[in-house]
Amino acid sequence: LKTVLSERELTLTQMIADLQSLRAERHTRGLALDSATQRHSDALEKAKAAENALAETRIQYEHELEKQTAEREKSVSQLAAELELERSAHHSTPFCHWFK
């Protein structure tokens, strides 16, 4: 009977040790999972920030491009008007038949 009790105590002690080992492993895996989840969350946050920065840069670029386009169109219009004035002034001179 004493031997049976000793074997059961030994088995129970081993089961308790196994359970503690499993709890420790679960805790370690839980910490690793928490860490991985945090890294994933951080990466998503950085990606979102980069996406927002890219969108802002694109908006600024498009705005600058529109501004430059408007300036060039104005400049071309001014040059065309000046050219038209020069042509009309040139054709109104008494010698304009020389250049036809």
Side-chain angles (χ1 to χ4, degrees), residues 3-98:
T3 307
V4 172
L5 280 176
S6 292
E7 287 176 8
R8 288 190 180 168
E9 283 180 3
L10 186 61
T11 302
L12 184 56
T13 302
Q14 185 60 44
M15 291 174 105
I16 291 171
D18 290 346
L19 181 59
Q20 289 173 340
S21 176
L22 287 172
R23 283 183 180 160
E25 184 179 343
R26 186 181 73 189
H27 179 72
T28 301
R29 287 185 181 183
L31 291 177
L33 181 59
D34 289 347
S35 178
T37 301
Q38 185 61 48
R39 286 193 310 273
H40 182 259
S41 178
D42 292 348
L44 284 176
E45 194 174 308
K46 286 179 183 177
K48 192 67 156 171
E51 183 180 16
N52 290 340
L54 181 61
E56 181 62 31
T57 300
R58 181 177 180 174
I59 289 168
Q60 290 173 354
Y61 174 77
E62 288 174 352
H63 177 71
E64 185 63 28
L65 190 59
E66 287 173 8
K67 181 180 168 185
Q68 288 177 3
T69 301
E71 289 172 357
R72 287 183 183 154
E73 287 174 350
K74 182 180 175 184
S75 190
V76 166
S77 293
Q78 286 175 343
L79 287 173
E82 289 172 10
L83 181 61
E84 189 58 37
L85 279 174
E86 285 180 20
R87 283 184 182 163
S88 65
H90 175 71
H91 289 295
S92 65
T93 62
F95 305 105
C96 65
H97 65 276
W98 290 356

